[in-house]
Structure formats: C-alpha cells, structure tokens
Amino acid sequence: MNANVNLTNAMPELVAIRHDLHAHPELGLEEFRTSDFVAGQLEKLGYTVTRGLAKTGLVATLTNGTSKRSIGIRADMDALPILEETGLDYASKTPGLMHACGHDGHTTMLLGAARAIAERKNFDGTVHLIFQPAEENFGGAKLMMDDGLFDRFPCDAVFALHNEPGLPFGQFALREGPIMAAVDEARITVHGRGGHGAEPQETADPIVCGASIVMALQSIISRNIHPMDPSVITVGSFHSGSASNIIPERAEIVVGIRSFDPKVRDELERRIRLIAENQAESFGMTATVDYLRSYNATINHKAETDFVRDLAVRFAGVENVVDLERPFMGSEDFAYMLDGRPGTYFFLGSRVTGDEKSLHHPGYNFNDDLLPIGAAFWTELAEAYLKSE
C-alpha cells in the first residue's frame, strides 16, 4: 500500500466498533440503535449531524476552509433476516438477524474515516458523510432522496463502496457505466378451476398452465432480447396445490428480472405480461401479473470513476486496481444517488484463503483487516477531491 493516510493504529477501536455493530443487527428502517451509536460517535468528532432522513438515516457534515465544493460518501447500515451460523463470540444477539452483507464493516470504515478527516482537517470545502438505512429492502437511498438529501446537503459528487469476498484482498474493482443491474419482480397468478384429480376434464388445471408459462418465459432472453444486452429472468417460486388428488384453483409464480438498458427493461415487462396472459388464455384460463419495478441500474459516471481509479492506483498500486470486464447482475439502491449526482460505486476485495463465505451466506463475516484500508481510502478520497491549495 502506498497510502498517505495510515490508520493501522486505529485498528483496535475500529474492530471493537465493527464487532459491536455485528452483534446488534437491525433490519431496514429499524436501525435505531445503530443510528444512535453512529450519531453519538460523529457528534463527539465535531460533525453537525442531521437525523431522520428515511426515518433512521443520517448525514454528518464538516466544513473546513472557504471553498464551496462538497463531497458525499455513503455507507449502508442495515442487516438481513438470516439466522447467523458463524459461531463467533460477537455473533448476532438477535436470532434470525445478521450482518451477512458487511454493512457493519462499511459503517465502521466510514466512521474511521470521519475521525481521520476531522483530526487532519486537510481539505477545503464540505464533507457530507451519508449513513443510509434499508439498502437491502426498502430502497433507503431513494427514501433519503425523497427527503431532500441533495437539496439539503449539496454534493458535487457522491461515492460508495462494497466489500467483495470474491475478489482478492485489497483489490479495487471499478467500472465506468453500468456496474449493477436494475431489479424487478413479477408475481403471476393463474386462475383455474379446481376439482377432483380423478376428473381433470371437469377442471382447468392451473399447474399445467403455470408450467407452460414457466417454460415459455425461458424464451424471452434467448429470442426477444439482443444477445449483447445482459438480462436475466429467474423463476424463483412456484406454489400451487396441496394433495395429489386435488386440482387447485390457482397457481402463483414469482419471477425475478434483471437488466441494464431501460428499453430492455420495458421489453422484458411487456413480454412477461404477454406470455402469462396469452398462455393462460390458450388453456382456457386467465392470469394476472403484478409487476413491481424496484432498483434502477447502477450507472457510474466517467469523471468520478477515473478519479477513483487514479487515486486507487496511488493508494494501493496499479497491480491492485482492476477494471471489471462486465457488470454484476446484483442490484444496489445507490443507483438513485447516482441518478441525482455524479459519482461512482466500486468494490474492495476481501478474499484471503478462498474459503470465504459469499455475501448473504449465514456463515459470512466481514474481514476486519479491511477496516483501516477502507477508512484510509475514504480519508484520502475526501482530501483529494477537496484538495487544499
């Protein structure tokens, strides 16, 4: 590492904070303890803390010098509804909830940066540290935007990172343009006519019709979408019936949809609706489709991506910085912040042994050795963007 900021000495404090947050996970829009803790830490450091954005979100503001320039750095705070299986002595104290995506680490890294930024005061302008709730479920980024995030806290650019166990430890992975997909969900209900399994001719079997819909959906990507437009349709749930001698009244199918291009996104919805409704009609039944548009695609801006790349090369060495060949098909609500302001979203690798559990796995644990690296990088990023003359 060629970092100008070295926070190795802060390691014990950062680890203690991360382990405390890990032991007390909270779901989206319920991060009351986490928000109280974060706010208390920041107020001690001299930040002006504004609370209540998206219910449990907060923004910490620090100004130095005379420049009107400003920067936003975001960390997510929420946990997941997963029963932890790590066996750690600081494992979740709330059964059924755990920090399985590393948001405890993201929050800790930004708190570490907050201390270094405040103590060094090596910047000219305003730093807004954004601690966001509900990334995993309710789109906390959009809720903060709806509460006037960038109107109340103007940012010339905004940045965020995510730990990634699939990438080598300390590796920065970034990408101009699309880096995470848009995600939508379709709930298809096939309305049939139930009856005795021994007399199928007297019924309209929604299971047979539903199976036909499932198979027909597989043709959309291969036959209706351009091969160079990445997209995914996944039938994740199919529920119907209760016994072998009963033909049920309905079948329910839940479909996950991923895409990047807005026109492709529209076409996927159109085709899913057509297939469900017309397949059902061909079986003498009807189908209703409840289609939920969720997170937009995360699209990185060129100038800010170039800025992070150049800084990461100086910070970690060119051998530890990669440009991703293709985007991830996962989704991220930081997309909404990037719709509102220029910025970029990137990954920081945590793989050491190759046996690390993936994100959202009940055995996952954030790698504490990343804490001083992430905190130092955020510090250098804020100082470089708001460079003192």
Side-chain angles (χ1 to χ4, degrees):
M1 293 286 175
N2 304 313
N4 294 320
V5 179
N6 189 329
L7 297 182
T8 304
N9 291 339
M11 187 70 167
E13 179 185 3
L14 294 176
V15 169
I17 290 173
R18 210 280 291 182
H19 290 188
D20 179 77
L21 293 175
H22 188 88
H24 300 91
E26 297 171 300
L27 294 178
L29 304 184
E30 298 176 6
E31 307 95 330
F32 299 107
R33 182 189 184 277
T34 304
S35 185
D36 287 345
F37 177 83
V38 169
Q41 294 287 312
L42 293 163
E43 286 168 349
K44 291 176 184 177
L45 295 172
Y47 286 81
T48 300
V49 178
T50 304
R51 305 187 63 179
L53 284 85
K55 193 174 181 179
T56 49
L58 61 91
V59 177
T61 300
L62 189 67
T63 298
N64 190 59
T66 59
S67 172
K68 298 299 183 182
R69 298 194 72 205
S70 58
I71 186 176
I73 304 175
R74 173 272 219 168
D76 36 21
M77 302 188 293
D78 56 324
L80 285 159
I82 295 175
L83 181 64
E84 183 164 352
E85 298 177 359
T86 62
L88 297 166
D89 57 5
Y90 55 89
S92 171
K93 297 182 183 298
T94 307
L97 301 184
M98 76 168 288
H99 273 292
C101 202
H103 296 184
D104 50 345
H106 301 166
T107 298
T108 303
M109 287 191 292
L110 194 53
L111 283 174
R115 175 177 292 281
I117 291 168
E119 290 177 348
R120 289 163 58 88
K121 287 190 171 58
N122 186 27
F123 68 97
D124 186 12
T126 298
V127 176
H128 296 299
L129 305 181
I130 304 165
F131 291 85
Q132 181 208 305
E135 186 277 327
E136 297 287 0
N137 49 7
F138 298 113
K142 186 176 187 304
L143 295 177
M144 293 188 84
M145 297 283 287
D146 292 342
D147 281 345
L149 175 63
F150 292 133
D151 294 328
R152 298 166 64 183
F153 307 97
C155 296
D156 294 322
V158 63
F159 301 87
L161 67 75
H162 205 293
N163 78 99
E164 177 47 61
L167 295 173
F169 180 85
Q171 183 180 82
F172 289 79
L174 58 160
R175 189 177 195 275
E176 176 190 340
I179 192 167
M180 300 284 277
V183 59
D184 304 315
E185 182 179 271
R187 291 183 172 268
I188 302 169
T189 303
V190 180
H191 304 277
R193 185 173 66 256
H196 201 294
E199 296 182 336
Q201 75 282 1
E202 300 297 331
T203 72
D205 190 340
I207 294 179
V208 174
C209 177
S212 180
I213 290 173
V214 170
M215 294 307 297
L217 290 175
Q218 310 309 309
S219 69
I220 295 176
I221 302 298
S222 64
R223 290 296 176 266
N224 301 124
I225 303 301
H226 194 284
M228 299 304 291
D229 287 325
S231 48
V232 172
I233 292 178
T234 298
V235 177
S237 175
F238 188 145
H239 290 284
S240 186
S242 59
S244 63
N245 62 346
I246 301 172
I247 292 175
E249 285 282 321
R250 65 181 59 84
E252 297 179 346
I253 305 165
V254 183
V255 186
I257 305 103
R258 309 269 174 167
S259 61
F260 292 94
D261 187 288
K263 292 181 179 178
V264 171
R265 193 179 192 183
D266 291 340
E267 179 64 6
L268 291 170
E269 178 177 355
R270 189 182 76 86
R271 293 297 305 177
I272 288 171
R273 290 185 181 277
L274 279 174
I275 283 176
E277 293 165 0
N278 291 329
Q279 286 283 328
E281 184 179 2
S282 74
F283 282 88
M285 299 176 228
T286 61
T288 55
V289 181
D290 294 322
Y291 207 96
L292 175 64
R293 291 285 182 111
S294 189
Y295 297 172
N296 293 336
T298 304
I299 311 295
N300 285 334
H301 297 248
K302 175 176 171 49
E304 288 69 29
T305 304
D306 290 344
F307 171 75
V308 168
R309 183 189 299 105
D310 292 344
L311 180 65
V313 168
R314 297 196 301 273
F315 180 90
V318 67
E319 69 278 7
N320 291 312
V321 181
V322 298
D323 279 88
L324 297 168
E325 293 184 8
R326 61 181 66 89
F328 286 85
M329 296 307 295
S331 299
E332 163 63 59
D333 72 348
F334 188 65
Y336 295 107
M337 294 192 187
L338 291 179
D339 286 344
R341 288 294 184 275
T344 197
Y345 177 91
F346 59 96
F347 295 96
L348 181 58
S350 61
R351 187 183 74 229
V352 176
T353 66
D355 295 325
E356 290 84 359
K357 302 300 183 184
S358 65
L359 302 174
H360 292 212
H361 188 284
Y364 165 85
N365 187 36
F366 184 89
N367 188 333
D368 284 334
D369 289 336
L370 279 183
L371 294 173
I373 296 174
F377 186 76
W378 279 143
T379 303
E380 292 204 15
L381 183 138
E383 293 180 352
Y385 194 83
L386 301 175
K387 187 174 182 180
S388 298
E389 296 298 335

